[in-house]
Amino acid sequence: MEVNTFIQSVPLNYFVILSAFLFCLGVMGVLLRKNAIIILGCVELMLNSVNLLLAAFSSYKGDGNGQILVFFIMVVAAAEVAVGLAIIAMMYRNTKSVDVSIFNKLRG
């Protein structure tokens, strides 16, 4: 069975519900956690939930434009993780912690 045929056999509202659940889980992780690495992971979860929804809508519409946009979003997300991990590494070197509440002390 081809991937597009499989995706089109699953109702669209299942993808919407799954994407909304993943996005809410990511938002809760960003708001409730203090570890910077977990916060970056939750931001990635939110981006991937949007990618899932965009790919599902693109597949149901029948063109590949949304799937090309998903590829570019994944590239930007990878760059965001690289920059975020560099910032966390510098923060860990200076404070020996990855706790986000330390940022108030770094303000000056």
Side-chain angles (χ1 to χ4, degrees):
M1 183 186 299
E2 196 175 308
V3 174
N4 270 348
T5 313
F6 172 73
I7 290 176
Q8 290 175 348
S9 68
V10 177
L12 186 61
N13 60 350
Y14 288 178
F15 287 109
V16 172
I17 291 169
L18 177 63
S19 180
F21 174 73
L22 290 174
F23 191 83
C24 290
L25 195 64
V27 168
M28 285 176 42
V30 167
L31 294 177
L32 298 177
R33 301 299 292 217
K34 291 189 178 189
N35 190 337
I37 296 173
I38 293 177
I39 289 174
L40 275 178
C42 290
V43 169
E44 285 296 316
L45 185 64
M46 292 188 313
L47 284 171
N48 284 331
S49 71
V50 172
N51 279 342
L52 172 69
L53 195 61
L54 188 59
F57 279 126
S58 174
S59 175
Y60 274 92
K61 187 177 178 192
D63 66 347
N65 292 337
Q67 294 172 0
I68 293 171
L69 186 61
V70 165
F71 174 73
F72 286 116
I73 291 172
M74 290 174 72
V75 169
V76 169
E80 175 251 335
V81 166
V83 170
L85 286 176
I87 291 171
I88 290 172
M90 291 304 295
M91 188 176 89
Y92 183 76
R93 274 190 203 163
N94 291 334
T95 63
K96 300 295 184 216
S97 175
V98 289
D99 191 8
V100 178
S101 62
I102 302 289
F103 278 131
N104 289 336
K105 296 177 185 174
L106 295 177
R107 208 180 297 181

